Amino acid sequence: MKFISPKIDYAFKKIFGSNQSQQILISFLNAIIYNGENIIQSLTINNPYNPAKIESLKDTYLDIRATLSDNSIVIIKMQVSPMQAFEKRVAYNLCKTYANQLEKGELYFLLNPVIAVTITDFNMFDIAQLPEAINRFVFKDKKKNVDYIEDDLQLIFVELPKFQKKLEELESLIDKWIFFLKETAGLDIIPEPLKEVPEIESALNIANRANYSRQELEEFDKRAMMLQDERGKINYAKEEGRAEGRVEGELKIVMSLINQRFGEVDKEISDRLSNLKSENLESLVKALFDFNSLDDLLTWLDNL
């Protein structure tokens, strides 16, 4: 058996966001949000996976949105590579989802809680301060550590590199789900510890490459290659920079990526890119994977 990696956003969406994935998503969210307690009994996936909509590789990651039985909204995102101001984007999406529940003139008591679950294949927080793989944030008083009156907004982060347990060390439902996210691509069978959780076994069956159409496999493979290429280009830019000047080397890579994605840019944009500092160019290499058009690039430049 060979499995696609759940880190690939298309695969993540199919595994956790398909119409048949409710029980899988319930088990996963109970692990991540409620430490394995069986709190969530039912949910509705609001934007289920649709293979007919896979037409390009321009989306950086595909989120999953679900409404729980108590009307709480959960946003689940997989992010493989870091990007500039990603932490702000996560907070923005949380607040935007919360605010968008109301039409103009509607009363605030109609607002339902929103939980943002963000899975990253990189460390967002200093491992010395937050060594655990899962970290949860809510509004609290800084001095007394007392919760805000309403706990309507939660940010939960799962940092995969911080999880170091091996298969034989897995104990909790949390352990098994994080291991699934991190290690599935390297498996060739469904291991017994994962079989013990029916929802994880179902997720692995969905991840089995034998169950995908040729078109889906092509898209998944292209997506995986693109993720690897983006990371490789970042490293190449650093090496190139050492050889001929860091900024000049990284600028060449950025211009090459932009021209490949959107065609040759005009002089005004080229001049603005030429004036970027080294740290901005490196951030732009990572952020480019998220852009759908030149308008996104211009917005990124305007926000510097």
Side-chain angles (χ1 to χ4, degrees):
M1 299 175 74
K2 292 185 178 181
F3 302 93
I4 57 172
S5 172
K7 297 177 188 178
I8 302 171
D9 46 17
Y10 292 164
F12 184 81
K13 178 80 172 190
K14 178 160 186 176
I15 293 167
F16 291 99
S18 297
N19 286 321
Q20 71 269 30
S21 300
Q22 282 89 348
Q23 294 305 312
I24 293 172
L25 190 57
I26 287 171
S27 176
F28 175 74
L29 293 179
N30 275 329
I32 302 304
I33 300 174
Y34 296 112
N35 290 310
E37 295 184 41
N38 193 26
I39 303 297
I40 302 172
Q41 299 292 324
S42 64
L43 57 74
T44 301
I45 297 172
N46 300 329
N47 57 341
Y49 172 86
N50 183 351
K53 292 185 178 180
I54 296 182
E55 296 176 352
S56 71
L57 296 174
K58 292 183 179 180
D59 300 312
T60 298
Y61 49 76
L62 304 177
D63 67 324
I64 298 167
R65 293 174 181 262
T67 301
L68 308 184
S69 56
D70 65 354
N71 289 323
S72 296
I73 301 169
V74 185
I75 314 164
I76 310 103
K77 295 181 180 293
M78 167 65 74
Q79 182 75 10
V80 172
S81 298
M83 58 181 292
Q84 187 182 47
F86 179 64
E87 67 283 354
K88 292 183 181 293
R89 177 170 184 163
V90 172
Y92 172 79
N93 286 337
L94 175 75
C95 296
K96 183 179 179 181
T97 300
Y98 188 64
N100 282 350
Q101 294 179 72
L102 295 184
E103 299 292 340
K104 186 175 181 180
E106 289 187 322
L107 301 177
Y108 295 123
F109 74 81
L110 296 173
L111 289 167
N112 294 302
V114 179
I115 305 169
V117 176
T118 304
I119 303 137
T120 64
D121 200 25
F122 55 91
N123 289 341
M124 282 196 64
F125 307 106
D126 187 341
I127 195 168
Q129 293 181 315
L130 295 172
E132 300 295 327
I134 300 180
N135 292 288
R136 302 173 177 90
F137 298 86
V138 295
F139 287 123
K140 286 183 179 288
D141 176 78
K142 283 188 175 181
K143 280 189 176 181
K144 304 292 185 181
N145 202 34
V146 176
D147 289 347
Y148 184 62
I149 298 171
E150 295 285 347
D151 59 350
D152 275 9
L153 298 175
Q154 294 186 58
L155 288 166
I156 301 175
F157 295 91
V158 182
E159 299 166 274
L160 298 182
K162 290 181 179 179
F163 185 81
Q164 297 296 319
K165 289 187 178 182
K166 297 178 181 178
L167 183 64
E168 60 271 18
E169 299 173 320
L170 303 181
E171 297 176 351
S172 66
L173 183 64
I174 297 172
D175 290 346
K176 293 172 183 178
W177 270 119
I178 299 179
F179 184 89
F180 167 83
L181 291 172
K182 187 176 180 181
E183 305 294 349
T184 287
L187 299 176
D188 53 16
I189 61 169
I190 300 179
E192 288 300 324
L194 301 187
K195 277 186 180 180
E196 293 171 0
V197 182
E199 293 82 5
I200 296 181
E201 184 176 14
S202 295
L204 283 163
N205 284 324
I206 295 177
N208 188 343
R209 291 179 65 91
N211 295 327
Y212 286 82
S213 69
R214 179 179 295 180
Q215 179 188 2
E216 286 179 306
L217 286 174
E218 288 176 355
E219 295 293 351
F220 295 147
D221 290 342
K222 282 194 293 184
R223 192 63 160 183
M225 291 175 63
M226 182 175 286
L227 292 171
Q228 293 176 359
D229 287 348
E230 291 302 318
R231 286 176 168 173
K233 285 169 183 174
I234 293 169
N235 293 331
Y236 176 76
K238 293 177 180 178
E239 294 300 323
E240 186 79 3
R242 292 190 185 101
E244 56 178 275
R246 183 178 182 83
V247 174
E248 290 81 1
E250 291 182 344
L251 180 60
K252 283 186 176 182
I253 298 298
V254 168
M255 292 302 300
S256 174
L257 288 171
I258 291 173
N259 289 338
Q260 289 176 20
R261 291 288 305 280
F262 309 118
E264 189 171 351
V265 298
D266 60 33
K267 186 177 184 304
E268 180 183 355
I269 295 177
S270 180
D271 289 344
R272 293 181 68 179
L273 294 171
S274 299
N275 291 327
L276 293 179
K277 297 179 180 179
S278 176
E279 58 268 25
N280 297 135
L281 286 169
E282 185 169 344
S283 296
L284 180 54
V285 172
K286 302 171 185 176
L288 271 172
F289 194 44
D290 190 41
F291 296 164
N292 293 323
S293 66
L294 277 177
D295 289 338
D296 293 331
L297 171 61
L298 291 172
T299 299
W300 187 91
L301 291 169
D302 290 340
N303 288 335
L304 283 179

